[in-house]
Amino acid sequence: MNDSQRPPVRVNVVDGVALVLIDNPPVNAAGHAVRAGLLDAVQRADSDPAVKAIVIAGEGRTFVAGGDIREFGKPPLEPHLPDVCNAIEASRKPVVAALHGTALGGGLEIALACHARVLDAGARVGLPEVKLGLIPGAGGTQRLPRLTGMLNALDMIAGGRQVKAAEALDLGLADLVVDSGLRERAIALALSLAGKPPRRTGELAVREYSAGEFEAARAAIAKKARGQISPLKAVEVTALAARLPLREGLVRERAMFVELMNGAQSRGLRHTFFAERELSRVPGLESVAPRGFDSIGVIGAGTMGAGIAVALADAALNVIIVETSAAALDAGRARVQSTYERQLKSGRISEPECAARLARMTFAEGLEALSSCDIVVEAVFEDMAVKQDLFRRLAPIAKPGAVLATNTSYLDVNAIAAAGGRARDVIGLHFFAPANIMRLLEIVRGADSAPDAVATGLALAKRLGKIPVVCGVCDGFVGNRILAAFRQQAEFALEDGALPHEVDAAMEAFGFPMGPFAVSDLSGLDIGWARRKRLAASRDPGARYASRVADKLCEMGRFGQKTGAGWYLYENGKRVNDPLVEKLIRDVSAELGIQRKANGADAIQRNIRAAMVNEGARILAEGIAPRALDIDMALIHGFGYPAWRGGPMFEAGEIGLPTILKDVEALHEASGNGWEPAPLLVKLARSGGSFADAKSSMN
Ligand code: COA
C-alpha cells in the first residue's frame, strides 16, 4: 500500500489499550483527514467496553508537527482541531500521548489535551505559531500555562521557543521521558491510570505568578516583536488562562486565532515558510545530482575566511585553511579561536564540541595543501587582479572535479572563472558576515558553471543550514544590488529634508532591526567610499548622485563606529546625533538648490520599498534571480527585511502592483535617470499579473 492509500489514523487494540497511530507523511500534519480520523478513533475507543485506556502516537519520523499549514487561509473544514482536543480531554478513559520527533503547534496541543505525556528523550516540543503570525488555536494558550506556569508558557508561546524532552520534564509539560520503548512505556502508563479519574489539563489552576515578572516578560516580548503583532496577542490571550475558565478562554483564543489567520502578517509569514523550502528546488536543477564533498579548502583567513571555516567545521566538515605566511595563519587561527571562545563563554557549545570543531581544521601555508579538497572557497582581498591570479594558480592544483568557489561580493564571477581555465567548476559562494551566523548564502551561477557545480553549492548550503539563493552574475548579485537601491533612496531622503536618525527611525518602524545609517556606521563607511571612487569614471553623469554627504564624512576620516564618528557620534559606545552632520546635510541641500521639506516616515518607507521592488523586477527580468521568492528570501535573511512582510516582492503583490508602480513613477520624477519603472513592473501592473507567476530568463 502506498502513502496515499493508507488511512491517516489507525487503531490497534492491544491488552485493552487502544493504540491510535497518526500516519500522514512527511510530518503527520493535522490536516482535515487526520482530525476526522483522530476524533472518530478517540470517541470509538471511549465507548468501546473492551478498551481501558488510549495511547496516541505518531508513525514515521515524528509525532504531529502542527496543523496543516497548506490548509491555512482556506475555509476550515470540520471537525476543527479545538473540537478534537476537547473530545480527547473529555474522554472518560485515560489518554496518554507518546511523543517522538517534533510535537509542534497543533501536535503539542493534541498532547496537552491528553491526560499524560511520555516523551522520547530526543523529542522536541513547542508552539511556534507566532512564527507564522498566529497564536495557538486549539487550546495551547489555555492549557500550557496550567501545566508549566504562566511565565514559562509565555516564553514558549509568545517567544515561540521549542524545548527538548529533558526541559519539558522540568517544566511539568512531560510526565515521563524515556530513552527507548516509547510506545510500550506509554501503554504501561495508560494501563496504570485506567479506572482512575483522568487528570484533565483544562481543570488545573494556573500557579500564582508575580505581576512584576509578567510585565517584564511582556516588555521583553514587545521589544523583540519589531512590528509583528502575534507575539503581543499571544501574551494577551495566554494571560486569560489565569482568569477565565477553560471554555471561555478557548472561545477568546479561537477568535484571535481566526483574526490573525486572516491578517496580512500571517500571509507574509506563511509565504516565508514555504518560500524557504522552495529555494533549493531551483527550476532546471531538480534532477541534477551534486558532486560529493567532505574536505573543503578555504583560502584566506581574514574575517570572512575565518567565519567560513567556522561555519564549515560547525557542520562537521573537514577544513583546510590556507594563507600566504605563517604570521597570517597565526592571525587566522586566533580569529577562529576567539569565535569559539565567545561561543564557549555564552554556553552555545561545550568544551568537547569546541575541541572536536577545532580538530577538524588544518592550517597550512601555500595552495598545494588544497590538492585533495572537494570544494575550495577563496576569501581573499576583493580585487579582480588578485582573484584572477589566485584562480590561475589554483586551477592546476585543485583535483579534477573539485568545485572552485569565489566569495566575491561584487566582482564578475565570469571574469574570475575565465582566468583559471576551469570555468565549469567555478561558482560564487557569497557568504555574509559573520559567515558562521548569517543564514543567507548566494550561490552565483556563472555563464559556464556546470549544473552539478551549482547543485553542489546548494547541497553545501543545506549541510551548513544556510538559506540558499541561486543567482546570476551582476554587480552586487541579488542582495547587495537591491540594498544599493535602498541606500541611495535613504541618502536622497537626507538631501530632500530628513536627518539620519529620522530615516533610521522610519525604517526601524518598518521592521528592520537597524536603520540604514546606523548599519553603515557599524559596517564602516570606507568600503563604500573606495568602491565609489573606483566606479566614479563609469558613473552616468546625468544620474542623480546619492553620496555627497557620505563622501564628505569619509574625507573627514569619519568611517563610522570604528573611528568614533560617522553618520552619528559615538560617546562611550552610545550613538548620538551630531549637529555637524546636520549642517553638512543642509549645506549639500542648499548647494543642490533643494528646498528641504519634512518627509514623514510613511513617505520614506514607501520610497525605499518602491526602489527595492523596482530593482527586484529588473533582477527578475534579467534572469539574475530564478523567482521572485528568491529575492524575498535574500532580503529577509541577509538584510533584515521583516519576515512578516513576506519580502519586498510578495509585499508588492499584497499592496497591489499598480500602487507600487505609481510610487516608482514618483521616484523617477524625483530622482531622475536610472529610476525609470522596470518594464516588467509596468507590464504586470497593467495586465493584472504578479511577480510570483513571472518567468525569469534564468530558467
Ligand atoms: N503543515 C504542512 N506541511 C508541513 C508542515 C505543516 N505543519 N510542517 C512541515 N511541512 C512540510 C514542509 O513544507 C516540507 O514539505 P516539502 O518537502 O514539500 O517542502 C516537509 O513537510 C518537510 O518539512 P521540512 O521543514 O523541510 O523538514 P525538516 O525535517 O527540516 O523540519 C519540522 C521538520 C516539522 C521541524 C519543520 O517542518 C517545521 O518546523 N514545521 C512547522 C511546524 C509548525 O510551525 N507548526 C505549527 C503549525 S500550527
Side-chain angles (χ1 to χ4, degrees):
M1 218 187 296
N2 65 30
D3 287 354
S4 60
Q5 291 166 330
R6 277 202 317 252
V9 178
R10 291 193 301 280
V11 184
N12 299 331
V13 180
V14 186
D15 297 334
V17 175
L19 177 62
V20 179
L21 286 172
I22 300 171
D23 185 9
N24 183 27
V27 296
N28 290 331
H32 175 246
V34 167
R35 297 195 302 273
L38 190 55
L39 182 64
D40 182 60
V42 170
Q43 286 175 336
R44 274 174 199 270
D46 196 25
S47 53
D48 182 347
V51 169
K52 291 186 278 218
I54 302 164
V55 168
I56 302 177
E59 278 286 39
R61 62 167 155 143
T62 182
F63 191 72
V64 175
D68 189 337
I69 303 171
R70 287 173 207 281
E71 290 180 2
F72 288 7
K74 299 186 183 145
L77 293 175
E78 290 187 349
H80 305 312
L81 194 58
D83 302 328
V84 179
C85 291
N86 292 343
I88 292 171
E89 188 166 67
S91 165
R92 288 154 301 172
K93 296 170 185 168
V95 188
V96 174
L99 310 184
H100 76 293
T102 41
L104 301 177
L108 182 57
E109 291 179 295
I110 292 170
L112 292 172
C114 291
H115 305 131
R117 284 147 295 277
V118 183
L119 269 62
D120 177 75
R124 192 156 47 88
V125 301
L127 293 170
E129 282 87 345
V130 286
K131 307 224 155 123
L132 294 169
L134 300 169
I135 62 167
T141 64
Q142 303 303 297
R143 291 193 177 94
L144 188 66
R146 287 174 154 90
L147 288 174
T148 64
M150 182 59 74
L151 299 171
N152 291 324
L154 285 186
D155 178 33
M156 286 184 66
I157 298 171
R161 191 170 77 85
Q162 300 179 14
V163 301
K164 293 185 181 152
E167 188 180 351
L169 189 65
D170 288 343
L171 291 175
L173 200 169
D175 297 87
L176 184 66
V177 173
V178 300
D179 285 321
S180 59
L182 175 69
R183 284 187 196 165
E184 294 72 25
R185 299 288 292 276
I187 289 172
L189 177 64
L191 276 175
S192 75
L193 296 173
K196 298 179 191 151
R199 177 183 184 252
R200 296 196 170 91
T201 312
E203 291 171 359
L204 304 173
V206 178
R207 283 196 307 272
E208 290 283 323
Y209 57 93
S210 114
E213 281 180 317
F214 179 90
E215 264 319 307
R218 209 176 75 93
I221 288 158
K223 196 160 168 228
K224 267 181 70 182
R226 287 200 202 112
Q228 196 186 322
I229 306 166
S230 58
L232 279 173
K233 296 293 183 194
V235 174
E236 190 183 310
V237 174
T238 306
L240 298 175
R243 296 207 302 273
L244 298 180
L246 181 79
R247 247 166 228 285
E248 286 175 42
L250 290 180
V251 172
R252 300 276 290 272
E253 174 194 79
R254 191 70 187 171
M256 182 59 72
F257 175 80
V258 171
E259 184 184 321
L260 291 171
M261 176 73 84
N262 294 325
Q265 293 201 353
S266 180
R267 279 199 298 281
L269 285 161
R270 268 149 32 209
H271 166 71
T272 302
F273 178 87
F274 288 117
E276 283 169 359
R277 285 157 180 79
E278 272 311 300
L279 287 174
S280 53
R281 286 190 273 259
V282 179
L285 288 180
E286 297 95 335
S287 52
V288 178
R291 303 179 189 176
F293 57 85
D294 174 51
S295 161
I296 320 274
V298 177
I299 307 174
T303 310
M304 205 32 132
I308 295 172
V310 169
L312 295 164
D314 287 355
L317 289 159
N318 295 313
V319 194
I320 301 174
I321 301 148
V322 162
E323 261 294 356
T324 44
S325 69
L329 270 184
D330 284 345
R333 196 180 285 115
R335 276 187 198 100
V336 167
Q337 264 157 355
S338 88
T339 303
Y340 280 131
E341 269 155 30
R342 275 198 307 276
Q343 294 190 7
L344 265 176
K345 237 192 192 149
S346 68
R348 277 187 58 195
I349 55 168
S350 65
E351 290 273 2
E353 271 165 350
C354 176
R357 290 171 199 201
L358 281 170
R360 284 185 206 116
M361 295 190 187
T362 311
F363 291 80
E365 234 179 286
L367 296 180
E368 288 70 23
L370 303 174
S371 61
S372 63
C373 289
D374 305 307
I375 301 175
V376 178
V377 188
E378 71 75 18
V380 301
F381 189 63
E382 182 80 344
D383 177 272
M384 181 56 89
V386 173
K387 299 219 187 230
Q388 284 185 322
D389 175 58
L390 178 73
F391 270 73
R392 227 170 267 131
R393 290 184 293 120
L394 175 65
I397 293 171
K399 72 177 187 189
V403 171
L404 311 179
T406 167
N407 177 52
T408 181
S409 307
Y410 287 98
L411 299 176
D412 180 347
V413 172
N414 293 327
I416 297 173
R422 286 179 60 172
R424 285 184 58 76
D425 293 330
V426 176
I427 57 171
L429 284 178
H430 182 210
F431 288 84
F432 289 76
N436 57 315
I437 309 268
M438 292 292 287
R439 292 196 69 204
L440 178 61
L441 178 60
E442 286 181 330
I443 300 169
V444 187
R445 186 178 192 168
D448 296 316
S449 303
D452 66 348
V454 182
T456 309
L458 281 166
L460 179 68
K462 189 176 166 88
R463 177 76 179 262
L464 301 182
K466 300 276 183 210
I467 297 282
V469 168
V470 169
C471 46
V473 176
C474 69
D475 190 42
F477 311 122
V478 173
N480 278 332
R481 182 167 154 184
I482 293 187
L483 185 72
F486 174 149
R487 291 208 53 87
Q488 286 182 45
Q489 280 305 323
E491 293 184 38
F492 289 155
L494 300 183
E495 294 177 354
D496 291 343
L499 293 173
H501 67 273
E502 290 164 344
V503 177
D504 279 353
M507 296 323 288
E508 283 166 24
F510 188 84
F512 280 93
M514 255 179 143
F517 296 108
V519 170
S520 167
D521 272 358
L522 189 66
S523 50
L525 275 68
D526 44 333
I527 305 159
W529 189 37
R531 199 172 125 71
R532 288 197 297 279
K533 286 193 281 193
R534 209 169 50 235
L535 297 177
S538 57
R539 205 164 34 236
D540 172 2
R544 183 175 175 185
Y545 179 59
S547 301
R548 284 187 175 75
V549 181
D551 288 348
K552 285 186 199 291
L553 292 174
C554 289
E555 283 156 19
M556 296 161 74
R558 296 176 62 127
F559 294 153
Q561 283 195 24
K562 61 187 169 191
T563 57
W567 293 102
Y568 297 92
L569 274 182
Y570 294 85
E571 291 171 353
N572 302 324
K574 229 185 123 218
R575 189 164 71 217
V576 290
N577 299 335
D578 187 351
L580 188 140
V581 174
E582 182 172 342
K583 182 171 176 327
L584 271 185
I585 294 170
R586 288 186 189 283
D587 289 351
V588 166
S589 303
E591 257 170 53
L592 296 170
I594 295 172
Q595 194 72 37
R596 291 176 65 79
K597 61 174 191 302
N599 257 340
D602 183 56
I604 293 171
Q605 293 167 351
R606 285 182 76 143
N607 281 351
I608 288 179
R609 177 172 48 215
M612 294 172 94
V613 174
N614 200 42
E615 198 60 35
R618 289 183 183 148
I619 283 175
L620 204 54
E622 288 168 25
I624 298 299
R627 295 152 299 190
L629 65 89
D630 296 81
I631 299 173
D632 286 334
M633 294 307 105
L635 269 295
I636 288 175
H637 290 287
F639 300 89
Y641 201 97
W644 54 264
R645 291 182 185 270
M649 309 311 275
F650 177 82
E651 192 178 29
E654 289 275 295
I655 292 168
L657 298 190
T659 307
I660 298 285
L661 177 58
K662 269 202 199 116
D663 288 350
V664 175
E665 282 166 348
L667 273 193
H668 182 208
E669 211 168 304
S671 311
N673 281 9
W675 295 93
E676 298 77 10
L680 179 63
L681 171 62
V682 175
K683 188 177 112 192
L684 294 174
R686 297 209 173 126
S687 66
S690 81
F691 286 128
D693 300 328
K695 288 267 168 297
S696 156
S697 59
M698 179 188 268
N699 313 319

